[in-house]
Amino acid sequence: MSAIRVLVADEAAVREDVKRLLYFEDDIRVVGEAGDGQEAIRLAERLRPDIVLLEIDIPKLDGIAAAEAIAERLPDAGIIITGSR
């Protein structure tokens, strides 16, 4: 079985924390990172992750709008939206 491919869209410090946590999971691989919603959409289209982890309050395009756009373009991708801190 191949690793679950994850794209993380959040502020830099949180992305680093998530990468550190997922590093220990043999079946999960972080394939990309985005700092805003527009970048998350671009990377999702290019990288085709299995899961997109989106912060709701990311800049340029919030997590809800980014999730809608990604779901439309990549209907097989799972999307997890995290709330504000």
Side-chain angles (χ1 to χ4, degrees):
M1 183 171 134
S2 61
I4 298 168
R5 298 165 38 86
V6 178
L7 169 64
V8 181
D10 206 323
E11 64 182 69
V14 175
R15 292 193 316 261
E16 288 302 314
D17 289 344
V18 169
K19 284 192 324 186
R20 268 193 292 275
L21 287 170
L22 295 179
Y23 174 80
F24 296 102
E25 301 298 327
D26 294 334
D27 57 349
I28 298 175
R29 186 167 54 112
V30 175
V31 295
E33 303 174 49
D36 63 64
Q38 291 173 349
E39 183 180 23
I41 294 167
R42 284 192 304 274
L43 286 175
E45 288 180 306
R46 188 179 59 157
L47 300 171
R48 301 282 200 213
D50 300 307
I51 303 289
V52 180
L53 180 61
L54 288 163
E55 165 59 38
I56 197 167
D57 289 327
I58 53 178
K60 294 189 183 175
L61 187 65
D62 69 41
I64 300 293
E68 289 172 347
I70 292 167
E72 184 177 299
R73 292 167 172 88
L74 302 170
D76 292 335
I79 299 173
I80 300 170
I81 298 176
T82 61
S84 300
R85 293 166 242 349

